[in-house]
Amino acid sequence: MIDLPPYPPLDPSNYDLIVVGTGVSESVFAAAASSSGSSVLHLDPNPFYGSHFASLSLPDLTSFLHSNSVSPPPPPSSPPLPPSNNHDFISVDLVNRSLYSSVEISSFESEILEEHSRRFNVDLCGPRVVFCADESINLMLKSGANNYVEFKSIDASFVGDSSGELRNVPDSRAAIFKDKSLTLLEKNQLMKFFKLVQSHLASSTENDDTTTVKISEEDMESPFVDFLTKMRLPPKIKSIILYAIAMLDYDQDNTETCRHLLKTKEGIDRLALYITSVGRFSNALGALIYPIYGQGELPQAFCRRAAVKGCIYVLRMPITALLLDKETGGYKGVKLATGQEIFSQKLILDPCVTIGLESLSSLTDQENETISVLVPKALINKEKVARGICVIRGSVKADVSNALIVYPPKSLFPEQLTAIRVLQLGSGLAVCPADMHVLYLSTLCDNDDQGIKALLSAMSNLVRLPDPKNQQSDSVVENDTCEAKPILLWRALYVQQLVKGEFGGTISSMPSPDGNLNYNEIVESALKLYEQLMGSEELFKEETSVENTTEENDDGVDIED
Amino acid sequence: MHGRPRKASKPEEEAASAAKAVKLRSLQSQFMKNHHDKIYTEEAIELSTKLLEINPEAYTAWNYRKLAVEDCLSRIDSDPNLVNSIFDEELRVVESALRQNFKSYGAWHHRKWVLSKGHSSIAHELKLLDKFQRLDSRNFHAWNYRRFVVELTKRSEQDELQYTDDMINNNFSNYSAWHNRSVLLSSLLAQNADGFMPNERIPDEYDLVHSAIFTDPDDQSGWFYHLWLLDQTLNVETPLLTSSWPSHGSTIILSGAGCLNGSSSKFTTFCSESGSFPLILYFDQAVGGVSSSTVTIDSELKGNEDLVWEPISYKNSQVSCVWVTHLKYVSTDLCEYKVKIRVGNSPGIVSSRGHNFRAPYEFVFTAHVHDTVKDSQEGIVSWTDGFDIWDAKSKDLNSLITLDQLQAEIDFKWRQEAIDSEVECFGILSDSKIGKLTLARLLMAREAMVSDDAVKGVRYEEILQLYNDLMALDSSHYQYYKDEHSVAFLHKMTSSSESLSRHLFRYRGMNNLVCLRLNNLSLSRIASVEKLLFVQMLDLSHNELHSTEGLEAMQLLSCLNLSHNRIRSFSALDSLRHVKQLKVLDVSHNHIGKHSVDTTRYLCSSPLSNSEWSQDDVGRQNPGLVTKYWDAYFVLRDLNLKQLDIAGNEISGNEFSSFVLQVVPKLVWLDGQKLGN
């Protein structure tokens, strides 16, 4: 931030909307606003697109995590000024909040990684995938952002346990048929359940068809886990449905530790998302797809869409202060790191941007009201998400490159309270060099130690540390099946705070990446905020007439209507 | 494509299709003119291309192209490059036609024709097929064509089997893939190819199809494959002799027409005016080639050197499960004869699937020839009294019930084990219709394999209950379940001499005929006939029978009561024409006359196929009546009835009665009335 390149002053200096941060929520917002004709200035303090959703090389990722972690940020060059009063505006200085803690990065084979370091595109917000029937896909299709991203299928999903065995998730008719671990009766019960869900969904779209089976209202309000029991599904299948298909985090059988006991209604919605995802795009194998070059492509695609519609982009441009109207205390604009003052009707901020508490005391009530969304709240919910990234040589499962692995609660160790999700991605997705894979892991946790412990347990189940003595003789060792685990080359562990977005009239704050596997909630909250802030006008409405071109890809997934 | 709802077309689409039709019609008329005038110029061929690209179903255009290609070939001097380019163009046209409609018979056929000319490379064909089969994996045209290409390329059956694996794994709801699998496996199993021994391979296939049936019990594609597997398991290829009459070790009494002296005899008595008695062989599958050279008879009975064996089959085919010949005897020649029969002495008995009757089988019976003392009576046969209860303890029931030829197959064990594991498996799916039905079929198959008397027949109650459940659950297939229920019931009844003897009686009136009474059992189908060959008098009244199919094997039958059943026409009685001994027939209170044709069968005689009636007496005298009652005419004409009951049918009445008298002049009793001269 010190050696900013000299920027010419921005012209114009007045906008309908300023958006700070290029995460998914901010980018969707910017694209929607510019598409509806608003003038938008989109800033990012980082030299890359995506903010906390970016995909970075290993060194960039390392430095981003370090600079955004709780180790105290470098103190501002001058002591925080009281809100300055020298212009027509009151200027309130902004400070950065750190989202990350317990950052620990270890490299086991530095030479190899340095050689390839720029060939990695590693996600900050992993593990994360897109469901084919996801809200984010709908939005991409609607906005035309799909023209800038290409996806590939996640080939398989597995459920793991402490034995190290990975079992296929029977998530479709064909998968149930092929599955070798289910008994015939289990296949029958599971398919029967899927059919019930499908028939329920069909009956809710085609109303008043009495022939279709529907799940009763009473069941819909009961806990999903109880409903599964009522359907006489054995525990093994229940666990698959809850954690590997509905993607739940908390142990649904343990009412004490379960933060979110899912109702059947919500469970059915989650299954519906999964079921409708399977087969939505003809060349997607399963329910899940992943953008080639990493998740950072998604916010970037929306930014490009916004740019086409006239949104102005400036990267490496932090804002240092808010400008408030002297008389009304209302929001006027922001001060850029270059010192330039830019004005707008409305302001959307990245979750990292907050106000130092010491600044607040000298402000009027009216001014405090304006900036209230930026005041860090005492966290009511201590929930965090622990994330891990491993670069490995080899694959966790032979013949499978891109795969999702879920460890349901208690599957690895008795005190495991939450599900751990692991996503392995290969060079086919252009996220790492050939022969290597990137593993993303995450789990929800209340404190850093608990989360890191869970991730380490999953890691040790899947990968092994390189043997310092004979690194060259892997081929010899691989004869032994239990030793065929892939070798860990590089590892990052960090815990991310979960910050909710806030709507505050003229100034609003966007949420941090959530602990989910997909973008559904993030996109929904961005759209809700858009509606609150910009009115309920239909999003991207003129884009629907744009003709999609059909392309034949060999193995990529075309997402088209 | 499957599973896609048809959408109603919009007005603008209809207008477009009307415009297309106009264009198509003009193209077609131009084309027809070219075709008619044998014009094979480049423009003319181009026109047919256009036509076919719009309408690939225009088969005349495909034929025209064949002519055009041959015309071109005759004009160029077999320059290989030119020849190839002609055929390549044909392949291109077919491909674009198939893109338009890839269920076009004409287009696929044209492609085969082009390839069979042998000028084009077939390497490309499998790739093209993969593409088509990815679009519609069940399209049988593509599968059919695939088999054609595979044969041309000599691709291995193992590779093709792997392909069906892939297709089934992708979506197991694929009849075509399962079907192709059964075709490939049949061939591999028949060759005993490496890794394709039936006892190892069939259980694996069961595992595969279980996954399909259990995952989605409503998906029928797996059902058919399971049925095929079941058939592979049960089908012991070699035909076996199931039973015979007279049976091995039995004693029969033969006499001329009339009543016997010692009428209390416990042995089966056979009276004949013609001085011959039937010898019946019943095989487990239809066979051909039964003749005096393949079956030898060793006895002192004279005049039986060149016996004529007749297949008993209503289809008039030369293969049948039942074969009969008639042995002559002289009724005055009182004597006891031993008769020794050797079946399969020399090769020649071959099943309809082409397998030889292997092990020769020998059986012996004794025939006593008795004298008749009284003149034959023309008394009425009553179905209400005159029956003596069968002496269940009498040993001779054992001689009546025929013994199955021993199934000494070496690989019989794996079949039993396979069926046992199937029974166990489907026991847990018994909450679905297909689960119940399959279980019932499996249990029937299992019972048929049991040879140990101690456990024989123990599962019939379960089978009957399953069919009862199915009748209640699935009313649209009620009749099928009902029929199967009847079959199971009859199997159960004939499974032990004890249960059979409960239905057996002796009819005092006619030389102690052996009478089987199966009245009031709501039977809808006849089965287990092979165990009932000795029956001479059969009471099937008050059942739900639609036809007499199966009774043709009961060559000893002389009295049959079918009153109060559901017979709707005389053609449903067609099989009785083979029962030459039949004297007494009661078909009263049925629905004869309601339909002139037995609609439950596809094959039956029709007035159009039989013009010979105009040749015989009745036909000449009464062409009107014969035309009206043609179905009755064909059945009654061939029977030798003395007593007929027909009352209570739609057809009955004075006109029909007088018709019957003309057709059956020897009739003595009609509807209980003695016919006087």
Side-chain angles (χ1 to χ4, degrees):
Chain A
M1 288 193 198
I2 315 293
D3 50 330
L4 275 173
Y7 261 98
L10 288 176
D11 182 41
S13 59
N14 221 319
Y15 297 86
D16 294 335
L17 173 70
I18 296 173
V19 181
V20 178
T22 51
V24 167
S25 323
E26 296 91 42
S27 304
V28 166
F29 204 101
S34 15
S35 153
S36 70
S38 304
S39 60
V40 184
L41 175 65
H42 201 167
L43 306 169
D44 195 311
N46 299 303
F48 50 82
Y49 286 95
S51 299
H52 303 283
F53 293 89
S55 301
L56 302 170
S57 67
L58 295 181
D60 289 349
L61 182 101
T62 309
S63 75
F64 183 84
L65 283 176
H66 281 309
S67 65
N68 284 279
S69 62
V70 270
S71 51
S77 46
S78 50
L81 296 169
S84 55
N85 221 340
N86 40 358
H87 295 290
D88 304 332
F89 311 106
I90 304 164
S91 164
V92 184
D93 281 356
L94 295 167
V95 289
N96 252 343
R97 150 164 64 190
S98 310
L99 281 185
Y100 306 102
S101 56
S102 302
V103 177
E104 184 212 310
I105 291 165
S106 354
S107 184
F108 303 97
E109 286 195 21
S110 314
E111 319 88 72
I112 298 171
L113 291 175
E114 257 160 47
E115 189 190 329
H116 296 292
S117 70
R118 293 285 149 191
R119 291 172 63 192
F120 286 95
N121 286 302
V122 178
D123 299 340
L124 271 167
C125 62
R128 205 168 279 272
V129 294
V130 180
F131 284 69
C132 290
D134 219 299
E135 201 48 52
S136 58
I137 291 286
N138 296 339
L139 199 65
M140 294 187 87
L141 288 169
K142 213 169 170 191
S143 65
N146 59 322
N147 293 321
Y148 308 114
V149 206
E150 205 188 328
F151 293 88
K152 278 193 178 176
S153 278
I154 299 298
D155 309 315
S157 35
F158 302 99
V159 173
D161 61 25
S162 53
S163 74
E165 193 195 348
L166 298 179
R167 292 196 298 114
N168 270 304
V169 173
D171 54 2
S172 67
R173 202 164 168 271
I176 294 172
F177 169 72
K178 271 186 281 189
D179 196 287
K180 296 267 189 289
S181 63
L182 295 171
T183 67
L184 291 176
L185 190 60
E186 286 169 338
K187 289 184 183 205
N188 187 244
Q189 287 167 324
L190 184 57
M191 192 62 209
K192 232 187 237 171
F193 177 72
F194 280 160
K195 277 190 170 176
L196 172 70
V197 173
Q198 267 160 343
S199 130
H200 175 82
L201 294 172
S203 73
S204 49
T205 50
E206 296 157 38
N207 40 11
D208 285 346
D209 191 354
T210 47
T211 55
T212 51
V213 190
K214 234 183 144 168
I215 301 166
S216 74
E217 279 304 315
E218 191 192 334
D219 282 337
M220 289 299 268
E221 293 302 322
S222 69
F224 191 39
V225 62
D226 294 349
F227 179 66
L228 296 181
T229 311
K230 192 178 162 187
M231 292 288 104
R232 294 194 294 164
L233 293 172
K236 186 168 84 180
I237 290 184
K238 262 168 44 180
S239 159
I240 290 171
I241 293 176
L242 289 170
Y243 307 108
I245 295 178
M247 303 295 175
L248 294 180
D249 290 296
Y250 288 103
D251 188 351
Q252 302 290 310
D253 287 314
N254 185 340
T255 41
E256 275 172 43
T257 58
C258 182
R259 282 264 168 74
H260 183 200
L261 187 62
L262 199 79
K263 282 182 182 172
T264 303
K265 196 164 55 179
E266 301 162 295
I268 298 296
D269 285 346
R270 284 175 179 238
L271 292 191
L273 174 65
Y274 202 103
I275 290 169
T276 48
S277 289
V278 176
R280 177 173 185 191
F281 303 116
S282 60
N283 41 5
L285 299 170
L288 312 177
I289 49 177
Y290 185 89
I292 300 175
Y293 301 111
Q295 293 293 355
E297 292 296 297
L298 287 191
Q300 220 171 139
F302 282 103
C303 289
R304 290 174 75 170
R305 202 63 221 159
V308 169
K309 295 292 171 185
C311 178
I312 293 173
Y313 277 86
V314 185
L315 295 187
R316 301 168 209 263
M317 183 58 79
I319 58 167
T320 55
L322 288 180
L323 304 174
L324 304 182
D325 191 292
K326 244 178 194 173
E327 285 173 17
T328 62
Y331 163 77
K332 274 293 167 192
V334 296
K335 191 194 246 177
L336 303 182
T338 55
Q340 190 184 3
E341 291 172 343
I342 305 279
F343 306 97
S344 69
Q345 308 288 318
K346 282 159 186 170
L347 178 67
I348 302 284
L349 291 170
D350 179 285
C352 280
V353 182
T354 57
I355 295 215
L357 287 171
E358 60 276 24
S359 313
L360 293 173
S361 48
S362 54
L363 295 176
T364 65
D365 288 353
Q366 190 55 53
E367 289 157 355
N368 268 324
E369 173 69 30
T370 308
I371 59 169
S372 63
V373 299
L374 300 181
V375 179
K377 308 290 180 304
L379 289 171
I380 318 149
N381 192 350
K382 289 188 297 176
E383 203 173 70
K384 295 178 178 183
V385 55
R387 299 191 194 274
I389 306 170
C390 298
V391 174
I392 57 174
R393 195 191 299 122
S395 167
V396 294
K397 182 101 181 170
D399 305 327
V400 178
S401 181
N402 307 322
L404 179 74
I405 300 145
V406 177
Y407 290 96
K410 289 206 206 97
S411 63
L412 283 172
F413 51 97
E415 310 85 54
Q416 184 195 346
L417 298 177
T418 53
I420 303 165
R421 284 187 285 268
V422 185
L423 179 66
Q424 173 178 285
L425 302 172
S427 57
L429 290 165
V431 297
C432 63
D435 310 330
M436 295 188 199
H437 284 98
V438 183
L439 283 189
Y440 297 99
L441 303 91
S442 80
T443 192
L444 296 185
C445 58
D446 287 344
N447 61 63
D448 292 15
D449 289 348
Q450 182 201 344
I452 299 287
K453 182 193 168 198
L455 294 189
L456 285 172
S457 162
M459 282 179 194
S460 66
N461 197 290
L462 290 168
V463 301
R464 63 187 160 117
L465 285 173
D467 184 347
K469 281 174 202 155
N470 56 353
Q471 294 183 353
Q472 303 307 313
S473 63
D474 295 336
S475 51
V476 184
V477 191
E478 271 170 29
N479 294 336
D480 194 353
T481 41
C482 63
E483 282 299 316
K485 284 181 182 175
I487 301 169
L488 183 61
L489 305 177
W490 183 91
R491 181 179 75 194
L493 288 165
Y494 52 103
V495 179
Q496 183 217 304
Q497 278 190 51
L498 293 172
V499 180
K500 295 251 185 301
E502 270 189 83
F503 168 65
T506 50
I507 306 176
S508 296
S509 174
M510 283 297 188
S512 69
D514 59 17
N516 295 338
L517 185 63
N518 64 358
Y519 291 100
N520 247 12
E521 286 184 17
I522 292 169
V523 167
E524 270 167 23
S525 76
L527 296 182
K528 198 173 150 206
L529 186 65
Y530 183 84
E531 200 177 291
Q532 285 173 320
L533 212 56
M534 314 294 279
S536 56
E537 212 181 328
E538 198 198 337
L539 278 175
F540 301 114
K541 72 177 165 201
E542 79 274 30
E543 309 296 342
T544 49
S545 62
V546 176
E547 281 282 315
N548 283 315
T549 52
T550 316
E551 287 170 61
E552 285 262 334
N553 288 332
D554 284 339
D555 51 356
V557 175
D558 302 310
I559 55 163
E560 271 153 19
D561 276 335
Chain B
M1 297 293 179
H2 300 272
R4 297 192 186 177
R6 201 178 276 267
K7 282 184 210 141
S9 53
K10 294 175 197 143
E12 59 263 33
E13 286 169 353
E14 268 169 33
S17 85
K20 201 175 148 193
V22 169
K23 192 182 158 207
L24 190 63
R25 239 172 264 135
S26 89
L27 256 179
Q28 212 148 5
S29 62
Q30 278 178 52
F31 158 75
M32 288 310 279
K33 193 172 177 314
N34 287 340
H35 186 27
H36 187 258
D37 299 344
K38 297 195 169 59
I39 301 174
Y40 303 120
T41 60
E42 229 167 85
E43 299 86 58
I45 294 174
E46 184 53 34
L47 188 87
S48 74
T49 308
K50 256 191 210 152
L51 176 64
L52 286 167
E53 279 172 353
I54 302 172
N55 176 20
E57 296 285 13
Y59 50 84
T60 310
W62 291 117
N63 287 337
Y64 165 80
R65 288 191 78 90
K66 291 186 186 82
L67 293 172
V69 166
E70 269 159 10
D71 182 68
C72 285
L73 290 176
S74 68
R75 277 185 284 117
I76 58 166
D77 293 326
S78 63
D79 172 354
N81 286 333
L82 271 178
V83 173
N84 278 346
S85 75
I86 289 170
F87 282 115
D88 285 348
E89 169 64 9
E90 291 307 300
L91 290 179
R92 192 198 62 75
V93 174
V94 173
E95 197 174 326
S96 66
L98 287 176
R99 283 187 200 287
Q100 176 74 19
N101 173 11
F102 78 108
K103 293 186 176 176
S104 162
Y105 283 86
W108 286 108
H109 184 264
H110 194 66
R111 199 168 187 87
K112 279 191 185 176
W113 179 80
V114 172
L115 283 186
S116 65
K117 294 283 167 188
H119 290 283
S120 354
S121 126
I122 38 177
H124 175 61
E125 296 305 294
L126 278 180
K127 259 190 209 151
L128 182 79
L129 268 173
D130 282 345
K131 222 180 208 172
F132 278 128
Q133 289 185 293
R134 215 176 305 154
L135 286 175
D136 182 357
S137 59
R138 306 202 276 197
N139 186 312
F140 74 86
H141 296 270
W143 281 95
N144 214 2
Y145 185 66
R146 187 175 185 90
R147 284 190 283 273
F148 169 77
V149 172
V150 164
E151 202 168 309
L152 275 185
T153 54
K154 306 218 163 40
R155 197 173 131 96
S156 79
E157 285 174 323
Q158 278 92 335
D159 286 351
E160 278 302 285
L161 196 68
Q162 181 58 45
Y163 182 76
T164 66
D165 263 344
D166 297 344
M167 294 302 270
I168 289 167
N169 276 334
N170 203 26
N171 179 5
F172 64 84
S173 178
N174 188 333
Y175 295 92
S176 305
W178 288 108
H179 168 70
N180 207 31
R181 193 172 180 82
S182 69
V183 171
L184 293 164
L185 267 177
S186 296
S187 157
L188 287 165
L189 290 171
Q191 299 160 24
N192 283 335
D194 198 21
F196 290 94
M197 294 305 288
N199 53 340
E200 292 157 8
R201 188 63 201 208
I202 299 240
D204 288 351
E205 292 301 307
Y206 273 120
D207 286 346
L208 181 71
V209 77
H210 285 159
S211 274
I213 294 177
F214 275 75
T215 302
D216 192 350
D218 297 334
D219 189 273
Q220 303 179 5
S221 45
W223 304 358
F224 289 102
Y225 194 67
H226 191 267
L227 268 182
W228 177 78
L229 277 181
L230 192 57
D231 185 57
Q232 296 297 302
T233 315
L234 300 177
N235 167 27
V236 180
E237 289 157 352
T238 321
L240 297 171
L241 186 67
T242 311
S243 64
S244 65
W245 191 89
S247 57
H248 179 60
S250 65
T251 303
I252 57 166
I253 294 169
L254 305 169
S255 77
C259 256
L260 275 178
N261 192 349
S263 59
S264 63
S265 165
K266 281 177 184 168
F267 299 119
T268 301
T269 307
F270 187 82
C271 308
S272 165
E273 290 153 19
S274 60
S276 69
F277 68 96
L279 173 59
I280 312 166
L281 297 181
Y282 202 111
F283 295 89
D284 67 334
Q285 49 188 304
V287 296
V290 177
S291 69
S292 55
S293 64
T294 50
V295 180
T296 56
I297 293 166
D298 191 3
S299 84
E300 291 130 30
L301 289 168
K302 297 283 180 310
N304 290 315
E305 284 73 37
D306 283 311
L307 289 173
V308 178
W309 285 90
E310 185 196 351
I312 302 296
S313 145
Y314 65 86
K315 276 179 263 174
N316 290 329
S317 78
Q318 282 307 304
V319 291
S320 173
C321 291
V322 193
W323 286 79
V324 70
T325 191
H326 290 86
L327 287 175
K328 294 193 193 85
Y329 64 93
V330 183
S331 55
T332 50
D333 198 3
L334 303 182
C335 199
E336 183 182 308
Y337 299 100
K338 278 243 181 284
V339 184
K340 195 196 251 180
I341 317 282
R342 284 176 64 84
V343 183
N345 206 19
S346 63
I349 300 179
V350 181
S351 77
S352 53
R353 300 191 199 197
H355 296 286
N356 282 306
F357 185 84
R358 213 178 326 160
Y361 183 71
E362 195 177 273
F363 66 95
V364 181
F365 63 90
T366 314
H368 287 280
V369 179
H370 281 208
D371 197 8
T372 49
V373 284
K374 289 180 223 163
D375 285 338
S376 63
Q377 303 167 341
E378 305 268 280
I380 189 163
V381 171
S382 158
W383 293 93
T384 48
D385 49 40
F387 294 98
D388 288 333
I389 291 169
W390 189 269
D391 179 7
K393 292 197 180 88
S394 82
K395 279 182 195 159
D396 70 37
L397 185 64
N398 290 333
S399 67
L400 292 179
I401 295 173
T402 52
L403 292 170
D404 296 353
Q405 188 184 355
L406 275 178
Q407 290 183 309
E409 286 281 323
I410 331 140
D411 58 348
F412 192 63
K413 195 162 166 254
W414 76 263
R415 298 176 196 269
Q416 270 185 332
E417 283 168 0
I419 298 293
D420 280 342
S421 87
E422 285 307 281
V423 167
E424 194 181 322
C425 186
F426 278 88
I428 53 175
L429 196 66
S430 58
D431 59 341
S432 75
K433 283 185 279 183
I434 187 64
K436 280 185 198 295
L437 178 60
T438 309
L439 185 59
R441 284 173 176 161
L442 288 166
L443 288 172
M444 282 291 276
R446 190 66 191 89
E447 280 294 349
M449 288 178 163
V450 172
S451 49
D452 181 1
D453 277 344
V455 290
K456 210 175 173 117
V458 292
R459 306 205 76 162
Y460 281 119
E461 275 311 317
E462 194 180 342
I463 298 169
L464 293 174
Q465 187 54 48
L466 285 166
Y467 282 120
N468 276 331
D469 291 352
L470 283 165
M471 281 186 252
L473 267 178
D474 183 11
S475 57
S476 53
H477 300 105
Y478 179 88
Q479 193 56 48
Y480 175 79
Y481 301 134
K482 178 90 206 164
D483 287 355
E484 293 301 304
H485 186 274
S486 300
V487 171
F489 177 86
L490 290 170
H491 277 258
K492 181 187 171 211
M493 185 204 67
T494 55
S495 66
S496 76
S497 48
E498 192 201 351
S499 62
L500 179 57
S501 64
R502 261 181 253 136
H503 297 277
L504 282 175
F505 297 85
R506 291 277 191 187
Y507 184 62
R508 254 176 274 139
M510 292 171 80
N511 293 335
N512 280 327
L513 283 187
V514 180
C515 179
L516 180 66
R517 305 202 71 171
L518 298 171
N519 46 340
N520 265 315
L521 293 169
S522 76
L523 298 174
S524 64
R525 215 180 117 181
I526 295 158
S528 286
V529 178
E530 72 276 10
K531 297 192 172 166
L532 302 171
L533 297 179
F534 60 91
V535 171
Q536 292 165 301
M537 186 170 181
L538 179 60
D539 184 0
L540 287 166
S541 62
H542 296 275
N543 280 302
E544 297 169 23
L545 293 169
H546 290 86
S547 125
T548 55
E549 220 175 300
L551 292 183
E552 66 273 11
M554 299 172 79
Q555 290 288 313
L556 269 60
L557 207 58
S558 63
C559 305
L560 175 62
N561 187 352
L562 285 167
S563 65
H564 297 276
N565 273 286
R566 300 198 178 153
I567 289 163
R568 300 196 296 181
S569 73
F570 268 97
S571 37
L573 303 175
D574 201 52
S575 60
L576 295 182
R577 293 194 297 133
H578 298 282
V579 187
K580 301 295 183 197
Q581 302 295 326
L582 196 64
K583 299 279 186 306
V584 176
L585 175 65
D586 187 348
V587 285
S588 60
H589 301 284
N590 275 283
H591 310 299
I592 299 175
K594 214 169 183 176
H595 298 271
S596 63
V597 176
D598 175 15
T599 49
T600 59
R601 257 177 37 196
Y602 294 107
L603 291 170
C604 66
S605 47
S606 87
L608 300 171
S609 64
N610 289 278
S611 53
E612 77 258 43
W613 76 58
S614 52
Q615 314 289 320
D616 64 36
D617 287 347
V618 185
R620 265 199 305 274
Q621 286 161 17
N622 248 321
L625 281 181
V626 172
T627 311
K628 187 170 177 187
Y629 300 121
W630 64 271
D631 61 329
Y633 177 64
F634 284 121
V635 174
L636 294 175
R637 183 183 67 165
D638 290 352
L639 290 175
N640 209 358
L641 293 181
K642 294 238 159 63
Q643 178 179 334
L644 174 67
D645 288 89
I646 189 82
N649 283 289
E650 274 83 347
I651 204 169
S652 358
N654 288 337
E655 188 187 52
F656 186 70
S657 296
S658 69
F659 171 72
V660 167
L661 292 181
Q662 287 181 51
V663 182
V664 199
K666 288 184 184 161
L667 199 68
V668 181
W669 298 89
L670 179 62
D671 288 328
Q673 303 294 315
K674 183 151 191 174
L675 301 165
N677 296 329

